[in-house]
Amino acid sequence: MYRAEIIANQSVQDDIIEVLEEYIPDILYTIVPLVHGRGGNDRKLGSTTWPETNFVLFTYVQDKDKSVVDSVLSAIKEKFPDEGIKLFWLRAED
């Protein structure tokens, strides 16, 4: 089992969720809807100077679904290359 952590601009949140649910219908996840921070290219602080914000999605997937999540996020990144979409994996105990 793996834990996926997806961090991205809030503008692509619905797109990511929609495709994940399409390809993994029984996926369970938790969303932290308002996340501030600094990435490699800019800041997302929800302020007048840095108005954008991010979200974080956590999900635990079976080994067989890891490649599906990888593919889904790769496709979303291609569609939205400037939205700072990041995917991190942690091996989780079953």
Side-chain angles (χ1 to χ4, degrees):
M1 178 172 276
Y2 288 91
R3 173 183 165 136
E5 297 182 7
I6 300 167
I7 303 170
N9 190 298
Q10 278 190 326
S11 65
V12 295
Q13 180 177 328
D14 291 340
D15 295 275
I16 291 172
I17 293 167
E18 181 180 317
V19 180
L20 283 172
E21 289 180 347
E22 178 182 342
Y23 286 94
I24 308 172
D26 59 344
I27 192 168
L28 304 175
Y29 53 85
T30 297
I31 293 177
V32 180
L34 182 62
V35 178
H36 295 159
R38 178 179 174 189
N41 296 327
D42 61 2
R43 298 165 196 241
K44 306 280 200 280
L45 301 176
S47 67
T48 53
T49 304
W50 304 98
E52 295 181 333
T53 57
N54 284 340
F55 77 98
V56 177
L57 182 147
F58 303 100
T59 185
Y60 289 86
V61 296
Q62 298 299 322
D63 293 10
K64 66 180 178 61
D65 291 325
K66 183 178 183 290
S67 62
V68 175
V69 175
D70 284 330
S71 297
V72 163
L73 265 289
S74 290
I76 295 287
K77 283 181 177 185
E78 283 184 30
K79 186 175 178 182
F80 303 104
D82 299 322
E83 298 306 327
I85 301 166
K86 302 294 183 214
L87 170 63
F88 302 94
W89 288 108
L90 298 167
R91 183 80 172 131
E93 296 294 323
D94 291 343

